[in-house]
Amino acid sequence: MHCTHLIAADTWYVGASDRRLAKFENLFPIPRGVSYNSYVILDEKTALLDTADASVAGQFIENVTHALGGRRLDYLIVDHMEPDHAATIAEVLLRWPEAQIVCNAKTVPMLKAYFPANAGKVDEAMLVKEGDVLSLGVHDLTFVMAPMVHWPEVMFTYDKTTNVLFSADAFGTFGALDSNIFADEVDFARDWLDDARRYYANIVGKYGVQVQAVLKKAAGLPIAVIAPLHGPIWRKDLAWFLGKYDLWSRWQPEDNDVVILYGSMYGNTANAANALAGCLAERGVQGIAVRDLSVTDVSEAVAECFRASTIVLAAPTYNGGIYLPMAHLLEDLKALSLQNRTFALIENGSWAPMSAKLMAERVGELKNCTLLDAKLTLRGTLAPSQYADLTALADAVAAAVKA
């Protein structure tokens, strides 16, 4: 049975959700699943904007068939070639062989690589560039290049008639859609923002400069609807969500909060992290988040680092290096170009504590980040004699959060 939704004049949502997939890109846990959004515009000419993942191919094809209502498909617009949006291109072309592919030049080699049997069809593609217009009749579509958001071939399609921006992976969110496909139909801040932040930080986070360039382009368009390839569609309060993207893409903290991220082998480093959190609460610090890196997925820890202004890293020394879950996090933060944060350190080492020195070196590789002088060194357990060191660290972190 088809499941389609009208999102604007002559414009239909024809995507589908996968609630069985355990990990997005086989990396990031998605307990709420994920949606693969796709859209059809019906005019004198018809257009399908992107396809869907192979896991939802049956539902997707049924939706497109229903939306077209027996009409031919004139154009297949490929905004993004990642397989979760392009996997069913060959099936679309098999069912609607008259469809002409519309894409930019960077997409062509990817199409041929993924679909060699359709190379001849790709050679007949309509190649578009920044500002080009494709008229469907009433609807005029213009194309906005968005390279490295987050693949080099990415482009957006903007319908100048309905003011809908089809934004590829930008403004996307983890999570399956439960028929309420619009962000204003759900409590987005309560139920979706954490997944949106985690999606951005881990999928797009490295490319903040490119996102800023796209935001500047978007500012020049009278956008009424943002239709991404994952998650809810935006038709109200667009400025609120665009503001989040502006902060995240400038690597500016979303909240003036502190997150304490710890790795602990036997509970002693965890005890120190919890003791610090208690001291911070006594100093009036609110919004304290404490996370165990051995049970918290690194994607969630990364998202917390994108959210909070002050980050405390606590880890034991392990084989002369950094405890592995912490080392993994620091590697990801560097890869994602995290910037503009304040860090503090807690280390542990029964005979040769080295983790603070090594963590400090990793933090030093991040741009515009401050490392507090105060730190806490454990040699096994947090001893009563170290209370002064603990309170000094709490004072320094509290001052940073309140600054």
Side-chain angles (χ1 to χ4, degrees):
M1 180 67 180
H2 67 269
C3 186
T4 61
H5 302 268
L6 187 69
I7 69 163
D10 311 315
T11 307
W12 291 86
Y13 173 90
V14 294
S17 288
D18 185 350
R19 295 178 178 83
R20 294 184 176 185
L21 186 66
K23 290 186 176 182
F24 188 80
E25 296 184 350
N26 214 19
L27 284 172
F28 310 115
I30 46 171
R32 299 199 305 148
V34 67
S35 72
Y36 303 108
N37 301 347
S38 177
Y39 307 92
V40 164
I41 301 175
L42 302 176
D43 202 340
E44 294 174 23
K45 300 285 188 178
T46 63
L48 171 64
L49 291 97
D50 293 292
T51 66
D53 189 77
S55 66
V56 296
Q59 182 69 70
F60 164 69
I61 292 295
E62 189 170 353
N63 289 347
V64 175
T65 301
H66 175 75
L68 288 173
R71 295 185 60 182
R72 60 181 276 142
L73 177 62
D74 295 295
Y75 300 110
L76 169 58
I77 298 172
V78 182
D79 288 318
H80 184 24
M81 264 302 299
E82 200 165 5
D84 56 333
H85 307 298
T88 46
I89 284 177
E91 188 164 354
V92 167
L93 295 176
L94 180 65
R95 291 170 180 267
W96 294 281
E98 72 280 3
Q100 183 176 20
I101 296 171
V102 179
C103 64
N104 64 69
K106 290 182 179 179
T107 309
V108 169
M110 295 184 183
L111 278 165
K112 290 184 174 181
Y114 279 104
F115 306 106
N118 296 102
K121 190 74 173 178
V122 175
D123 286 335
E124 299 170 356
M126 178 188 299
L127 299 185
V128 295
K129 60 185 184 300
E130 183 82 29
D132 282 354
V133 176
L134 171 64
S135 179
L136 303 180
V138 174
H139 295 260
D140 289 333
L141 308 181
T142 188
F143 301 97
V144 179
M145 299 302 117
M148 297 316 301
V149 184
H150 58 117
W151 277 26
E153 89 301 350
V154 172
M155 68 181 187
F156 298 169
T157 299
Y158 176 68
D159 187 339
K160 296 196 289 185
T161 304
T162 56
N163 297 332
V164 176
L165 179 68
F166 300 94
S167 63
D169 266 351
F171 312 112
T173 311
F174 294 139
L177 294 174
D178 297 330
S179 279
N180 294 129
I181 67 169
F182 294 102
D184 58 277
E185 295 177 326
V186 299
D187 191 332
F188 192 91
R190 184 191 67 192
D191 298 331
W192 287 85
L193 181 58
D194 286 350
D195 269 334
R197 184 188 305 109
R198 187 163 65 95
Y199 175 92
Y200 175 87
N202 291 278
I203 305 297
V204 191
K206 178 180 177 67
Y207 305 106
V209 172
Q210 291 83 356
V211 173
Q212 279 289 307
V214 165
L215 288 174
K216 289 181 173 62
K217 291 182 181 182
L221 299 173
I223 300 170
V225 176
I226 297 176
L229 289 178
H230 296 292
I233 297 165
W234 289 83
R235 61 184 179 181
K236 296 180 181 178
D237 300 322
L238 274 63
W240 179 83
F241 198 43
L242 289 169
K244 296 294 184 185
Y245 257 68
D246 179 53
L247 283 175
W248 297 337
S249 59
R250 290 188 292 113
W251 294 280
Q252 293 297 326
E254 188 179 345
D255 299 319
N256 198 26
D257 287 348
V258 57
V259 56
I260 302 172
L261 302 168
Y262 73 84
S264 188
M265 297 168 63
Y266 301 108
N268 294 307
T269 308
N271 175 257
N274 288 320
L276 176 63
C279 290
L280 292 173
E282 291 173 352
R283 285 157 177 74
V285 177
Q286 299 180 0
I288 304 167
V290 182
R291 301 288 185 267
D292 180 349
L293 293 178
S294 292
V295 296
T296 299
D297 188 78
V298 68
S299 68
E300 296 177 6
V302 164
E304 283 293 279
C305 291
F306 268 72
R307 182 187 64 81
S309 61
T310 305
I311 302 163
V312 179
L313 305 177
T317 303
Y318 192 79
N319 284 338
I322 305 170
Y323 190 56
L324 296 180
M326 181 64 73
H328 187 183
L329 171 64
L330 287 164
E331 182 180 353
D332 269 10
L333 294 182
K334 180 182 178 182
L336 296 168
S337 300
L338 185 73
Q339 303 171 28
N340 308 313
R341 298 298 188 273
T342 298
F343 284 85
L345 303 177
I346 297 174
E347 67 174 346
N348 200 343
S350 299
W351 65 92
M354 288 288 295
S355 55
K357 175 179 179 295
L358 297 173
M359 288 189 291
E361 289 173 356
R362 297 286 187 90
V363 170
E365 295 172 346
L366 304 178
K367 293 181 181 179
N368 301 322
C369 287
T370 300
L371 181 61
L372 297 178
D373 291 332
K375 71 174 183 180
L376 181 61
T377 297
L378 311 179
R379 289 185 176 271
T381 63
L382 179 60
S385 61
Q386 293 184 287
Y387 183 72
D389 293 336
L390 176 65
T391 56
L393 179 60
D395 288 340
V397 172
V401 174
K402 295 177 181 180

